[in-house]
């Protein structure tokens, strides 16, 4: 049976969803019992611990950017609350909420 | 070269085409090359009317000369998977068709050149072109020398496109396992691209075979960051974000997994041949300030560069679901995302997404990829080949610069 989300290395503060998870769902990630706070799709990231603005987001054991807003444990971590430390990413205009 | 545990693999062999430079080909394509957009239609109609998957269209659209494009075309028309060449010129463009033809002829390829302005225009050039392709194909067949080939003689490239949050945890590390096996068997393995290694330069440098290579790796990624920053965009598409990737460095970390775990032997430039077995980073970003635009406008531009570096087969990991193949060298499509695989199975050669469901391990999928490389080398068609995909893109680029550690094994 598949797990809901996996943490790739023990130092990561985010996990990758192996399927879409729904708000209120209780999942276990690497020993952390998490309550999912919003819908997160396959391939997207969940906070394993509460993350604060300015925190480095750690995945594969390496920083993949910094938080621009807080996220609770079990919350979705993506471009609405984190950004690259290198080059700004871009979205299609249709998604319009990204500067 | 290190011989690994999979020594049995090195004994597997298949029939290949021997080429005068000592390399061996796993296909025997006849390429019809338009040398300017003005000759594209005639070249395409010739290929369409031949209706032979072996007769393939490649070309360059611009009228102005470009050293990079000439070097790329010289490498492509003498690629071991190419058995013959027909050039289509309008007549007044700048592309040095004489130099290109002479280079291919020196490498033993039958070559013919059709100049539209000297062949009665569209209709005349089309008829002359078809006759030329038939002669070149017959000449290639007449001189074909078939020889056994093994994994140690392969050049394998890897690329990821349409990446999502699954690419870096299924398809890319599975290709990394396959790369480790190929490396151990003495093959040449090439991964790309510098713009998608941003954030990984420190780790790459630790894997460098020599301190010079470490310097080159760091310098080439620094140049990539500088170049992409000046262009205003990283190598990060909206679909990457929809698939769960949030930053260039997150995409990079996933892309980097394709390179496996072996030492990095060197850095090579487009159209440059690796000097010996090992693992190489293809530096796709030109030196200096941006010129002519993005380093590679789309995945097939990069696939073309890997082929120009001698790649017999390219392993293409995709999460969102790319459908492309390529002219000249087969593309093996590795699906990273199991939901995408279910939607697009007809385009995918390998389902690495099942790793996510716990139905396979990275090692199992890596071994499956190696088996497929052997089968495709022996003539089995990839999904994209069977579907007729023969994409090709070549545009203007400034030539790259090379550091001291680029070719540590050069004789």
């Amino acid at each position: 049976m598949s797990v809901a989300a996996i943490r790739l290395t023990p130092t990561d503060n985010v996990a990758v969803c192996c399927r879409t998870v729904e708000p209120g769902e209780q999942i276990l990630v690497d020993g952390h019992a998490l309550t999912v706070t919003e819908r997160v799709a396959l391939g997207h990231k969940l906070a394993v611990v509460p993350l604060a603005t300015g925190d480095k987001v750690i995945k594969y054991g390496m920083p993949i950017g910094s938080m621009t807003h807080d996220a609770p444990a079990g919350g979705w971590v993506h471009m609405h609350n984190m950004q690259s430390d290198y080059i700004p990413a871009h979205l299609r205009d249709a998604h319009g909420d990204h500067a | 070269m290190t011989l690994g545990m999979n020594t049995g693999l090195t004994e597997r062999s298949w029939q290949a085409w021997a080429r005068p430079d000592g390399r061996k080909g796993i296909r025997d394509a006849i390429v019809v090359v338009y040398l300017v957009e003005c000759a594209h239609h005639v070249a395409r109609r010739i290929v369409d009317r031949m209706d032979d998957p072996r007769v393939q269209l490649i070309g360059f659209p611009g009228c102005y000369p470009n050293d990079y494009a000439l070097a790329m075309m010289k490498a492509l028309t003498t690629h071991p998977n190419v058995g013959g060449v027909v050039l289509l010129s309008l007549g007044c463009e700048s592309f040095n068709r004489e130099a290109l033809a002479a280079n291919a002829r020196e490498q033993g390829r039958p070559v013919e050149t059709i100049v539209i302005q000297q062949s009665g225009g569209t209709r005349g050039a089309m008829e002359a072109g078809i006759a030329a392709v038939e002669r070149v194909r017959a000449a290639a067949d007449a001189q074909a020398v078939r020889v056994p080939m093994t994994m140690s003689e392969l050049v394998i490239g890897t690329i990821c496109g349409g990446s999502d949050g699954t690419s870096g945890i299924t398809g890319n590390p599975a290709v990394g396992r396959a790369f480790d096996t190929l490396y151990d068997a003495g093959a040449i393995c090439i991964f790309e691209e510098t713009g998608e290694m941003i954030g990984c330069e420190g780790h790459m440098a630790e894997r460098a075979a020599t301190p010079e290579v470490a310097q080159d790796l760091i310098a080439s990624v620094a140049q990539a960051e500088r170049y992409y920053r000046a262009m205003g965009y990283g190598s990060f598409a909206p679909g990457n974000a929809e698939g769960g990737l949030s930053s260039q460095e997150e995409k990079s970390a996933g892309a980097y997994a394709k390179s496996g775990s072996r030492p990095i032997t060197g850095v090579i430039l487009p159209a440059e041949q690796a000097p010996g077995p090992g693992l190489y980073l293809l530096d796709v970003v030109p030196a200096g300030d941006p010129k002519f635009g993005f380093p590679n406008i789309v995945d097939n531009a990069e696939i073309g560069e890997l082929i120009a570096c001698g790649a017999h087969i390219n392993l293409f990991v995709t999460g969102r679901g790319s459908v492309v193949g390529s002219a000249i060298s087969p593309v093996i499509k590795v699906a990273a995302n199991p939901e995408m695989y279910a939607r697009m199975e007809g385009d995918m050669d390998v389902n690495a997404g099942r790793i996510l469901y716990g139905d396979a391990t990275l090692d199992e999928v890596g071994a499956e990829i190696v088996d497929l490389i052997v089968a495709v080398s022996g003539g089995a068609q990839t999904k994209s080949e069977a579907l007729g995909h023969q994409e090709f893109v070549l545009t203007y680029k400034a030539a790259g610069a090379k550091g001291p550690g680029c070719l540590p094994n050069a004789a």
Side-chain angles (χ1 to χ4, degrees), chain B residues 319-368:
Chain B
R320 304 293 288 171
S322 172
V323 300
V324 303
S326 178
I328 299 176
S329 294
V331 171
I332 291 177
K333 248 35 146 295
V334 179
N337 184 321
E339 295 178 355
M340 180 277 287
Y341 182 82
R343 288 193 300 270
M344 300 179 68
E345 188 178 345
D347 287 280
M348 300 295 144
D349 296 285
V350 176
N351 177 13
R354 64 193 206 274
I355 293 166
L356 215 53
Y357 293 154
D359 296 336
T361 65
L362 287 172
D363 282 333
E364 285 164 0
V365 176
E368 183 186 330

Side-chain angles (χ1 to χ4, degrees), chain B residues 249-296:
Chain B
E249 55 268 41
E250 182 181 12
K251 180 178 173 180
S252 295
Y256 177 50
K258 298 195 302 299
S259 67
S261 67
R262 298 299 185 254
I264 300 171
T265 314
V267 179
I268 57 172
L269 300 176
E272 190 169 40
Q273 308 306 306
L279 174 64
Y280 297 85
L281 173 66
L282 174 59
D283 184 1
V284 306
V285 178
D289 292 328
K291 198 174 172 184
F292 303 126
F294 290 102
N296 283 328

Side-chain angles (χ1 to χ4, degrees), chain A residues 8 59-60, chain B residues 163-173 245 253-255 257 317 336:
Chain A
L8 302 176
K59 181 184 172 190
Y60 302 104
Chain B
S163 295
D164 69 11
T166 66
S167 303
I169 55 181
T170 62
N172 290 338
L245 296 174
V317 181

Side-chain angles (χ1 to χ4, degrees), chain B residues 30-35 43 46-47 55-58 77 82 84-89 100 104 110-114 125 128-137:
Chain B
I30 307 300
V31 287
V32 176
V33 190
Y34 63 91
L35 301 177
I46 291 166
V47 170
V55 177
Q56 302 178 358
L57 181 69
I58 66 174
T77 51
V82 171
V85 181
V86 174
L87 304 181
L88 257 292
S89 163
L100 185 59
V111 183
E112 294 209 25
T113 302
I114 308 295
I130 287 168
V133 170
E134 284 170 346
R135 281 192 300 272
V136 163
R137 186 174 56 185

